[in-house]
Amino acid sequence: MTRPFVSLTTDFGLADPSVGICKGVILRIAPDAQIVDVSHAIHRQNPLEGAALLQVALPYLPTGVHVAVVDPGVGTERRPVAILTARGDHLVGPDNGLLVPGAEALGGIEACRELVDERYRLSPVSRTFHGRDIFAPAAAHLARGVALEEFGPAVDPGTLVRLELPAPRGMGGKLEATIVSLDAFGSAQLLANRADLERAIGTVEPGMRLSVEVGTTPAARCFEATWRRTYGEVTTGEALVLVDSYGRLAIAVNGGDAAQMHGLGSGQRVRLGRA
Amino acid sequence: MTRPFVSLTTDFGLADPSVGICKGVILRIAPDAQIVDVSHAIHRQNPLEGAALLQVALPYLPTGVHVAVVDPGVGTERRPVAILTARGDHLVGPDNGLLVPGAEALGGIEACRELVDERYRLSPVSRTFHGRDIFAPAAAHLARGVALEEFGPAVDPGTLVRLELPAPRGMGGKLEATIVSLDAFGSAQLLANRADLERAIGTVEPGMRLSVEVGTTPAARCFEATWRRTYGEVTTGEALVLVDSYGRLAIAVNGGDAAQMHGLGSGQRVRLGRA
Amino acid sequence: MTRPFVSLTTDFGLADPSVGICKGVILRIAPDAQIVDVSHAIHRQNPLEGAALLQVALPYLPTGVHVAVVDPGVGTERRPVAILTARGDHLVGPDNGLLVPGAEALGGIEACRELVDERYRLSPVSRTFHGRDIFAPAAAHLARGVALEEFGPAVDPGTLVRLELPAPRGMGGKLEATIVSLDAFGSAQLLANRADLERAIGTVEPGMRLSVEVGTTPAARCFEATWRRTYGEVTTGEALVLVDSYGRLAIAVNGGDAAQMHGLGSGQRVRLGRA
């Protein structure tokens, strides 16, 4: 019999024992759970970054329970929820927009419940660590087969908080898009794909030179980059724009750190045009 | 049948393969072990920080074998030990005080043995990596059911090294306490609880202003903070004092890094008073 | 029945979801796999460091499938391969030299195949993330028992790319060797062992003073260190040279960070002599 799968995505970091404690809480309730860390390095209290990450990561994971905690509102009135997706997963976390794009990437929201039943929480519930006291226990009970309806009242999916993932837009022959995250190599991922770019500036081909403008005028910085299919196609130290592993546009430097070299950061608007 | 549970708490970090190698050693002996990392970011060779962490973390973990290695004395004469707790756990590590507060949080010490039997060590035992050569194998053999008595001679619990967790004390209408750790958000955890604070300065209530004094006079720095129940109750950038997720007092900045903003560090003495 | 063992060694870091996604891909195919992280902190795109690490780490792991991805050539023409070792392990990764020293540490190469069969890859294969699209699926299919011959054409082991692990050499009464990695404590590991040192400078004994010369003349820096068996045998802050946990020579500072204090870095040549 397959072990139930549980994934964890948080802004807890790995320096303190928060993640280990959540895993302990899960395994006391569901000892056979197979737990995988997606990321604990979401920039603190940035649900948008977490939402964009879940959207691309969850389709690669087994069907199971996915806990996500990026929760500036812990201890205040936002609802704790569990969402059932069309693929059969449960997404568990705060109702602050974090979970919705991931649920849509798994086929859409089939049902949602508020996590209020005390049988499925630790007692007492602290005001500062709902990951441990509400979300981890709920995930574990879902993993061992407790029905979603047991956890609390139905939540109308239309009432769930939604984050606006900043859309790309074409303007004046350029594509403007938002940097949603930086990877370990300093590559900047944009909330836009190749089709968005080609709608704005026309067909792109390997070797084409692009201009990259970062920040708002008049303080904007500008540099050039080459459209490539992979890192190894440019010389070391050269900037490139490519379709990354998740189908999103990315700005990278072969063998270097694009974020550091060009001052790129999560949340910035970037304009791509023909050089 | 439930898989045996093993937790790991060390100062090894995750940059080199030490942690992965310990897990490999455990799984070669006990292939079904469920291993969870509590933390590998204890400040190097600071058993006091490790002991305080185990004290609050272990009660959330399943009953099992808990390995802890923060071991400035590796290769010298300190004893390697395994402790049986009243809850039924085994704590495995160096006899340098690291394990005792965690064992007490699990109901107290029932029995203790020195880890000397060569059947339950790797051979040869290196002088620099007892985590791999002594503690991981012992944990794995305990996890697969070897009786504690098999590992070596009984250790009188009264002879175990104990660390003095620096106690809070009231003085001149203030509470003086020690910062025991910083979390990923830069919040500073004190070795003191709300009752300690109220004994020193009287009842506290949400919104009350407190003075926080850090370091020793005359070079002490001072700032103000508000007593709150959770982070979201103050404006961004404002300092607060609250009861943290483990029942300890913590100094935090909502949406900011208290340690960085106010120069807080592990081991410092702090004085809290009415502002 | 024992769960199949899979280890992961990469330069992905833990900041983005790459590692979690690879684990998800593996567990969708082989739900019972026991996955262990060896390290995800190989310096980016440094296959030599990865190869040296696998060489010392793999012998401590259970027999199983070992995935390693340090792959500056992703998306270019280097072959993806799986190697069967004499111990019965499978090593999966790029044919860039990363896997060979580890395979030799596990008894040597018994067989090798190129990973081309589309049944054992994700579709489509991206140009930038073969860890997810080729190596993780291949590892999972090997873990669930698919025969190595199924994955693609035989590769003559003699045609595998080999990295030259820079050899130590004696010269003028000194031993010259290369720093291959730094551990979490700032200790520098050399690609040389005690026998190499004694061939160059004669028998060493605890307490003997050594000179350590770093970098190339005339800009070389020099400091002294003591030959010791373990860290605790010198006073805090004192430099030592010792045999580390893997049988390699290491330069360390007791209670300090040798790399920081003496400007040591991966890839540097170091000369050890009698002081």
Side-chain angles (χ1 to χ4, degrees):
Chain A
M1 214 187 61
T2 301
R3 302 161 60 205
F5 180 85
V6 178
S7 78
L8 302 179
T9 306
T10 77
D11 63 355
F12 297 166
L14 293 173
D16 68 44
S18 303
V19 171
I21 285 172
C22 288
K23 291 179 182 172
V25 168
I26 291 169
L27 292 169
R28 289 182 74 180
I29 297 166
D32 279 332
Q34 173 87 274
I35 305 176
V36 163
D37 300 305
V38 178
S39 174
H40 298 292
I42 306 297
H43 282 80
R44 61 185 285 199
Q45 309 195 338
N46 187 341
L48 182 64
E49 185 183 333
L53 183 150
L54 291 167
Q55 187 179 40
V56 294
L58 292 185
Y60 289 100
L61 303 187
T63 300
V65 182
H66 308 289
V67 181
V69 190
V70 183
D71 193 12
V74 62
T76 62
E77 292 307 309
R78 63 99 192 90
R79 294 178 292 189
V81 297
I83 292 172
L84 173 66
T85 72
R87 196 180 76 164
D89 305 80
H90 290 99
L91 274 59
V92 174
D95 175 24
N96 64 5
L98 176 64
L99 306 177
V100 173
E104 284 164 355
L106 296 176
I109 299 174
E110 293 281 301
C112 182
R113 293 276 165 165
E114 193 173 348
L115 302 170
V116 297
D117 194 301
E118 296 194 353
R119 290 173 297 169
Y120 308 120
R121 295 174 155 205
L122 298 197
S123 173
V125 169
S126 70
R127 291 187 162 267
T128 50
F129 196 1
H130 288 185
R132 176 192 66 194
D133 300 334
I134 297 177
F135 302 126
H141 287 291
L142 285 164
R144 70 182 185 83
V146 174
L148 181 58
E149 300 77 51
E150 298 292 315
F151 289 82
V155 171
D156 176 350
T159 68
L160 287 170
V161 172
R162 277 155 204 266
L163 293 171
E164 207 175 324
L165 293 179
R169 57 174 181 162
M171 43 181 299
K174 295 190 175 182
L175 178 75
E176 187 176 83
T178 297
I179 296 177
V180 69
S181 69
L182 304 175
D183 74 8
F185 301 103
S187 300
Q189 187 181 65
L190 302 181
L191 272 178
N193 58 32
R194 181 178 182 154
D196 297 320
L197 181 63
E198 295 195 323
R199 267 194 298 275
I201 73 168
T203 307
V204 293
E205 274 171 20
M208 181 181 289
R209 298 290 287 166
L210 301 172
S211 70
V212 184
E213 214 180 301
V214 188
T216 28
T217 43
R221 297 178 306 288
C222 199
F223 59 97
E224 291 199 5
T226 308
W227 178 264
R228 292 291 180 190
R229 289 177 305 173
T230 186
Y231 303 101
E233 291 176 358
V234 297
T235 57
T236 298
E238 192 183 334
L240 64 156
V241 176
L242 76 172
V243 177
D244 80 359
S245 315
Y246 307 100
R248 289 184 175 142
L249 298 180
I251 303 167
V253 168
N254 186 30
D257 185 307
Q260 210 160 48
M261 288 173 67
H262 297 294
L264 309 178
S266 195
Q268 284 176 335
R269 292 291 275 183
V270 165
R271 281 166 301 285
L272 300 178
R274 293 173 176 275
Chain B
M1 214 188 62
T2 301
R3 301 163 60 207
F5 180 84
V6 178
S7 78
L8 302 179
T9 306
T10 76
D11 63 354
F12 296 166
L14 293 173
D16 68 44
S18 304
V19 171
I21 285 172
C22 288
K23 291 179 181 172
V25 168
I26 291 169
L27 292 169
R28 290 182 74 181
I29 296 166
D32 280 331
Q34 173 87 274
I35 305 175
V36 163
D37 300 304
V38 178
S39 174
H40 298 292
I42 306 297
H43 282 79
R44 63 185 284 199
Q45 309 194 337
N46 187 342
L48 183 63
E49 184 183 333
L53 182 150
L54 291 167
Q55 187 179 40
V56 294
L58 292 185
Y60 289 99
L61 304 186
T63 300
V65 182
H66 308 289
V67 181
V69 190
V70 183
D71 193 13
V74 62
T76 61
E77 292 307 309
R78 64 100 193 89
R79 294 179 292 189
V81 296
I83 292 172
L84 173 66
T85 71
R87 196 181 77 164
D89 306 79
H90 291 98
L91 273 60
V92 174
D95 175 25
N96 63 6
L98 176 65
L99 305 178
V100 173
E104 284 165 354
L106 296 175
I109 299 173
E110 293 281 303
C112 181
R113 293 276 166 164
E114 193 174 348
L115 302 170
V116 297
D117 194 302
E118 296 194 353
R119 290 173 297 168
Y120 308 121
R121 295 173 156 205
L122 298 196
S123 173
V125 169
S126 71
R127 291 187 164 267
T128 51
F129 196 0
H130 289 184
R132 176 190 67 193
D133 301 334
I134 297 177
F135 302 127
H141 286 291
L142 285 164
R144 71 182 185 84
V146 174
L148 181 59
E149 300 76 50
E150 298 293 313
F151 288 81
V155 171
D156 175 352
T159 69
L160 287 169
V161 172
R162 278 153 204 265
L163 293 172
E164 207 175 324
L165 293 180
R169 57 173 182 163
M171 44 180 298
K174 296 191 174 179
L175 178 76
E176 187 176 83
T178 296
I179 296 176
V180 70
S181 68
L182 304 175
D183 74 9
F185 301 103
S187 300
Q189 187 181 65
L190 302 181
L191 273 178
N193 59 31
R194 181 179 182 155
D196 297 321
L197 181 62
E198 295 194 323
R199 265 193 298 275
I201 73 168
T203 307
V204 293
E205 275 170 21
M208 181 181 290
R209 299 289 288 165
L210 300 173
S211 69
V212 184
E213 213 180 301
V214 187
T216 29
T217 43
R221 297 178 306 286
C222 199
F223 59 97
E224 290 199 6
T226 309
W227 178 263
R228 293 291 180 190
R229 288 178 306 174
T230 186
Y231 304 101
E233 292 177 0
V234 297
T235 57
T236 298
E238 192 182 335
L240 64 156
V241 177
L242 75 172
V243 177
D244 80 359
S245 315
Y246 306 100
R248 289 183 176 145
L249 298 180
I251 303 166
V253 168
N254 186 30
D257 185 306
Q260 210 159 50
M261 289 174 66
H262 297 294
L264 308 178
S266 194
Q268 284 175 333
R269 291 291 276 182
V270 165
R271 282 165 300 285
L272 301 177
R274 292 172 177 275
Chain C
M1 214 189 64
T2 301
R3 302 162 60 207
F5 180 85
V6 178
S7 78
L8 303 179
T9 305
T10 77
D11 62 355
F12 296 167
L14 293 173
D16 67 44
S18 304
V19 171
I21 285 172
C22 288
K23 292 179 182 172
V25 168
I26 291 169
L27 292 169
R28 289 182 75 181
I29 297 166
D32 279 332
Q34 173 89 271
I35 305 176
V36 163
D37 300 304
V38 177
S39 173
H40 298 292
I42 306 297
H43 282 80
R44 64 185 285 201
Q45 309 194 337
N46 187 342
L48 183 64
E49 185 183 333
L53 182 149
L54 291 167
Q55 187 179 40
V56 294
L58 292 185
Y60 289 100
L61 303 187
T63 300
V65 183
H66 308 289
V67 182
V69 191
V70 182
D71 193 13
V74 63
T76 61
E77 291 309 309
R78 63 100 194 88
R79 297 178 290 189
V81 296
I83 293 172
L84 173 66
T85 72
R87 197 181 77 164
D89 305 79
H90 290 98
L91 272 60
V92 174
D95 174 25
N96 64 5
L98 176 65
L99 306 178
V100 174
E104 284 164 355
L106 296 175
I109 300 174
E110 293 281 304
C112 181
R113 294 275 165 166
E114 194 174 347
L115 303 170
V116 297
D117 194 302
E118 296 193 353
R119 290 173 296 169
Y120 308 121
R121 294 175 157 204
L122 297 197
S123 173
V125 169
S126 70
R127 291 186 163 268
T128 50
F129 197 1
H130 289 185
R132 175 192 66 194
D133 301 334
I134 297 177
F135 301 126
H141 287 290
L142 285 165
R144 70 181 184 84
V146 173
L148 180 59
E149 300 77 52
E150 298 292 314
F151 288 82
V155 172
D156 175 351
T159 69
L160 287 170
V161 173
R162 277 152 205 267
L163 293 171
E164 208 174 323
L165 293 179
R169 58 174 180 162
M171 43 181 298
K174 295 191 174 181
L175 178 76
E176 187 177 83
T178 297
I179 296 177
V180 69
S181 70
L182 304 175
D183 75 8
F185 301 103
S187 300
Q189 187 181 63
L190 302 181
L191 273 178
N193 59 32
R194 181 178 182 156
D196 298 319
L197 181 63
E198 295 195 324
R199 266 193 298 275
I201 74 168
T203 308
V204 293
E205 275 170 20
M208 181 182 289
R209 298 290 288 166
L210 301 172
S211 69
V212 184
E213 213 180 301
V214 188
T216 27
T217 42
R221 297 178 307 287
C222 199
F223 59 96
E224 291 199 5
T226 308
W227 177 264
R228 293 291 181 191
R229 288 177 305 173
T230 186
Y231 305 101
E233 291 177 359
V234 297
T235 57
T236 298
E238 192 182 336
L240 63 156
V241 176
L242 75 172
V243 178
D244 79 359
S245 314
Y246 307 99
R248 289 183 176 143
L249 298 180
I251 303 167
V253 168
N254 186 32
D257 185 307
Q260 210 160 50
M261 289 173 67
H262 297 294
L264 308 178
S266 196
Q268 285 175 335
R269 291 290 276 183
V270 165
R271 283 166 300 285
L272 300 177
R274 292 173 177 275

